[in-house]
Amino acid sequence: MSVDAWNKSGHDVQSSRNQANTLLAMTHVARSPMFYALASLFALFVAFLYGPIATVVVLAFQGPEGGLVFPMNGVSLHWFGALFRPQSIGDIWGAFDRSIRLGSIVMVATVLISLLAGLAFRRRFPGATILFYIVIAGLVMPSIVVSLGIGAMFEMLGIERSWYSSALGAHLTWTLPFGLLIMLAVFNRFYPVYEEAARDLGATGWQTVRYVVVPIIAPSLVGVALFGFTLSYDEIARTSQSVGALNTLPIELEAMQTNATTPVIYALGAMTTGLSLLVIGICLLALVAVRRHRERFGSDAGKAV
Amino acid sequence: MLNAIQGTPHAEERPRGASRSRHDIDAANARGRWQLPIIACLQALPLAAVFFLFFVVPVVLVVVVSFCGYETYRILIPDFTLDNFRDVFSESVTYRTYLITVKLCAIVWTVTALLGFLLAYFLAFQVRSRTWQTVLLLICSIPFWTSIVIRMIAWIPLLGRNGLVNRALLEIGAVNQPQEWLLYSEFAVIVGYVHLYTLMMIVPIFNSMMRIDRSLIEAATDAGASTLHVLRTVVLPLSKTGIAIGSIFVVAMVMGDFVTVDVLGGGQVASVGKQIATQLSYLQFPPAAANAIVLLLAVITMIVLLVRVVDIRKEL
């Protein structure tokens, strides 16, 4: 059985699905009433998802005299400007800075550790099953328990809690299960013959991983990175007891909303939402670029040797 | 044990058409195990280390701390006492809080499972083009990547006393005065949860549905089943793994939550997570830990019941 046959069988699945879909489309030319009912439900759901965020973005442009609710009292950039006046919002930029740094560290660590663990789980090793279940338990464990445990641990050891130690660990217990699950799914579908070919041609284990495996799974690694960053940037429950004296952005935001009296909090919300969208946009563009590149030139795998 | 992960047998859940090549791949995999497990061990080490240090040890500590004593000015007094648990179980507020939390969880589960199932069905079966499926799924998941706190705060100008919903209700004459129960209430908390967690249901259910052999649907239709009948007797049983995985997520998130309850409940709604967070804010570690252990047991019980339905590893 060759690579060709594997690829071909993959295409067969694809094309037979497509055929089945076309067949379905031909047999039911007219859409059923159910389609319209469900399509309306879907549209309502999308409105439900985006409505509140849109409201916040609109209200962020309130005039200087505007309040926390509609009606709009003029349109201005006043509240965005207020973000840059230190007295109107506490240490929001410090928190923002810490969140970005922490998110970046968590992102890199998540990609590296998940990739290594993904490679490990392709073979049998002692403790594999128990490790798998512990990681899954980390995913479903109520965050307050993890947070409390890490807080108590640092308290007992007499170590100061901070965003780069205890909170970093807390975030990793949240991002790594996602990273590992993605990697397991990726390697479940990975065709090992490429590696074998590399080895037959004399590549070392490291070269095989570096020039064959990593380029092939690169898009998934981008996905893991995206998960790692956004899950960390947004984390609040596991951070709450482990962050120490200096807060991350979500915690600062939560504290701010309890006594928010001006739309400055909406301006902040609009800004962070914009930033999230920017990160997603960049990642999607990167994925599209990789795919385009591969369609045109084939995979990068092996080019660098 | 790790068959599904190692990519050995169990070809049932593979895409159709690919199965004939499975045997060859298994053989290749077997030949591919050329490295010593020592390398695999080293590769797994960072993951194991992180989870040992920041998960296993802390959770064990929570158990230990739950048996410790405490005083106002000392956070922890090493001891072996069951007082903390006695306090948890003897106070009526505990039962009331659990009742509210479980009730919220049940309502949110019902709503998200129903919505998730219908929307996933729409995406998997009614939308026929792959491109549209991807685009619509992407539209659903983009808000997932934006700030959770902001997504919760965003309900305030809508549901508040002078919010848009109240205005609209007054406008059409459905009510004569602004409704107070819309915000800072159980209703608001439920809306917040549904907003945050429905995607957790849609994705795994959609994933299960995409694996359903389309010819089964055709066969059922040819045999005279109506669309609803097909939905109930073919699609629903075959997507139960997705439903179970989504349910595990939703149950775990809702049972332990204290952030949404805090922001949208505004002090009017109690939850177990919030009770623990409050105790922690007074640095009462031992009672908080005892409470957390009880919560953990409750969540584990619920999840074990759900996992009986599904083997997660087969789904990857």
Side-chain angles (χ1 to χ4, degrees):
Chain A
M1 182 74 173
S2 64
V3 177
D4 264 7
W6 167 263
N7 280 338
K8 196 167 161 298
S9 70
H11 286 304
D12 282 353
V13 177
Q14 192 76 29
S15 65
S16 69
R17 280 234 173 122
N18 284 347
Q19 273 170 11
N21 282 344
T22 341
L23 215 64
L24 267 174
M26 284 192 307
T27 44
H28 309 267
V29 179
R31 299 282 199 181
S32 65
M34 195 172 190
F35 172 82
Y36 292 104
L38 288 174
S40 320
L41 182 71
F42 188 84
L44 279 176
F45 179 69
V46 171
F48 171 71
L49 275 186
Y50 285 85
I53 303 173
T55 318
V56 161
V57 173
V58 172
L59 284 172
F61 291 94
Q62 273 278 27
E65 305 299 315
L68 279 169
V69 291
F70 285 104
M72 295 290 282
N73 203 336
V75 175
S76 77
L77 290 174
H78 179 83
W79 302 107
F80 287 96
L83 287 178
F84 298 94
R85 286 191 293 273
Q87 69 278 16
S88 58
I89 42 166
D91 181 27
I92 212 80
W93 290 105
F96 181 68
D97 183 55
R98 282 187 287 278
S99 272
I100 295 276
R101 279 166 202 252
L102 181 56
S104 309
I105 298 171
V106 170
M107 177 177 82
V108 173
T110 304
V111 171
L112 285 178
I113 298 174
S114 311
L115 173 60
L116 283 174
L119 289 169
F121 272 102
R122 301 175 73 194
R123 310 202 159 73
R124 282 172 208 286
F125 62 92
T129 308
I130 182 95
L131 181 60
F132 177 78
Y133 280 114
I134 288 176
V135 173
I136 295 303
L139 189 61
V140 296
M141 178 74 67
S143 295
I144 186 85
V145 180
V146 180
S147 198
L148 159 60
I150 294 177
M153 179 171 81
F154 275 69
E155 197 67 43
M156 280 180 161
L157 294 173
I159 305 173
E160 189 90 0
R161 288 174 256 175
S162 71
W163 63 269
Y164 50 79
S165 57
S166 41
L168 172 63
H171 281 205
L172 286 176
T173 63
W174 181 229
T175 58
L176 284 176
F178 285 96
L180 181 69
L181 287 176
I182 296 174
M183 279 297 121
L184 291 181
V186 165
F187 281 123
N188 241 2
R189 291 164 175 74
F190 190 86
Y191 192 48
V193 158
Y194 294 113
E195 283 168 280
E196 229 176 293
R199 279 195 292 274
D200 286 352
L201 291 170
T204 61
W206 162 250
Q207 284 174 320
T208 312
V209 171
R210 167 69 185 79
Y211 298 114
V212 179
V213 178
V214 170
I216 291 175
I217 62 169
S220 310
L221 292 178
V222 174
V224 173
L226 184 59
F227 260 98
F229 184 83
T230 50
L231 287 176
S232 160
Y233 179 67
D234 212 21
E235 220 301 315
I236 177 159
R238 288 185 191 208
T239 324
S240 62
Q241 304 303 322
S242 60
V243 73
L246 297 168
N247 283 339
T248 57
L249 187 61
I251 300 210
E252 196 72 27
L253 269 174
E254 203 215 347
M256 238 179 108
Q257 68 85 28
T258 26
N259 40 26
T261 48
T262 62
V264 70
I265 190 150
Y266 297 146
L268 198 55
M271 192 196 70
T272 58
T273 306
L275 186 88
S276 305
L277 294 182
L278 193 72
V279 172
I280 304 166
I282 291 171
C283 283
L284 287 178
L285 279 180
L287 286 180
V288 170
V290 168
R291 191 174 292 174
R292 284 262 170 83
H293 186 83
R294 283 189 181 172
E295 272 167 10
R296 213 174 301 160
F297 304 108
S299 169
D300 280 354
K303 289 270 169 63
V305 182
Chain B
M1 268 317 268
L2 283 165
N3 278 343
I5 290 169
Q6 321 266 160
T8 17
H10 298 305
E12 321 84 75
E13 78 274 19
R14 300 275 142 200
R16 284 159 298 136
S19 56
R20 60 200 157 89
S21 51
R22 286 307 300 168
H23 181 75
D24 300 343
I25 296 167
D26 293 340
N29 257 340
R31 284 198 303 279
R33 282 195 203 104
W34 57 284
Q35 282 177 335
L36 289 164
I38 185 91
I39 291 181
C41 286
L42 286 175
Q43 286 168 334
L45 191 65
L47 181 73
V50 168
F51 270 81
F52 181 75
L53 262 180
F54 290 102
F55 183 71
V56 177
V57 172
V59 171
V60 170
L61 265 185
V62 173
V63 178
V64 173
V65 168
S66 68
F67 294 108
C68 283
Y70 72 105
E71 281 168 15
T72 323
Y73 295 107
R74 280 182 71 192
I75 292 174
L76 288 175
I77 299 168
D79 194 1
F80 184 84
T81 166
L82 290 170
D83 286 353
N84 302 311
F85 287 98
R86 209 168 293 135
D87 288 348
V88 169
F89 287 109
S90 64
E91 283 182 45
S92 65
V93 68
T94 307
Y95 298 97
R96 232 178 309 136
T97 313
Y98 268 90
L99 203 66
I100 295 172
T101 309
V102 170
K103 184 181 81 181
L104 287 178
C105 191
I107 297 174
V108 171
W109 179 80
T110 313
V111 175
T112 52
L114 195 68
L115 257 183
F117 182 79
L118 288 175
L119 294 173
Y121 175 76
F122 173 73
L123 289 173
F125 289 94
Q126 303 271 339
V127 176
R128 285 154 195 164
S129 120
R130 291 222 148 208
T131 321
W132 273 109
Q133 280 177 342
T134 316
V135 169
L136 293 180
L137 210 55
L138 203 63
I139 289 177
C140 289
S141 43
I142 283 175
F144 178 74
W145 304 107
T146 63
S147 171
I148 290 179
V149 182
I150 296 299
R151 291 174 68 190
M152 289 185 296
I153 293 173
W155 284 105
I156 295 170
L158 288 176
L159 299 178
R161 197 167 189 283
N162 298 311
L164 278 186
V165 173
N166 262 327
R167 254 159 219 278
L169 287 176
L170 285 171
E171 196 76 20
I172 60 169
V175 293
N176 351 329
Q177 55 183 31
Q179 299 297 296
E180 302 278 358
W181 55 269
L182 286 171
L183 188 63
Y184 303 133
S185 61
E186 284 178 15
F187 173 79
V189 173
I190 291 168
V191 169
Y193 285 140
V194 171
H195 194 228
L196 291 176
Y197 302 136
T198 303
L199 185 74
M200 302 271 201
M201 282 284 190
I202 297 179
V203 171
I205 299 178
F206 175 78
N207 198 23
S208 297
M209 283 180 175
M210 290 307 281
R211 286 161 196 237
I212 297 176
D213 191 336
R214 294 301 192 269
S215 50
L216 290 176
I217 314 284
E218 256 172 85
T221 314
D222 288 350
S226 68
T227 317
L228 274 178
H229 204 177
V230 172
L231 195 64
R232 214 181 56 233
T233 54
V234 181
V235 179
L236 183 62
L238 288 174
S239 24
K240 74 171 187 203
T241 40
I243 299 172
I245 291 177
S247 306
I248 290 173
F249 267 110
V250 171
V251 167
M253 301 297 268
V254 174
M255 286 298 289
D257 172 79
F258 60 93
V259 183
T260 310
V261 168
D262 207 40
V263 176
L264 290 173
Q268 310 297 310
V269 182
S271 87
V272 182
K274 200 183 164 196
Q275 203 182 3
I276 299 173
T278 311
Q279 286 168 332
L280 282 173
S281 66
Y282 294 114
L283 291 176
Q284 300 174 335
F285 276 91
N291 222 335
I293 296 295
V294 177
L295 168 70
L296 188 57
L297 293 178
V299 173
I300 289 175
T301 315
M302 292 171 93
I303 288 174
V304 164
L305 291 176
L306 286 166
V307 173
R308 292 183 88 106
V309 187
V310 55
D311 179 355
I312 295 179
R313 281 162 304 137
K314 271 193 187 174
E315 282 305 296
L316 293 172

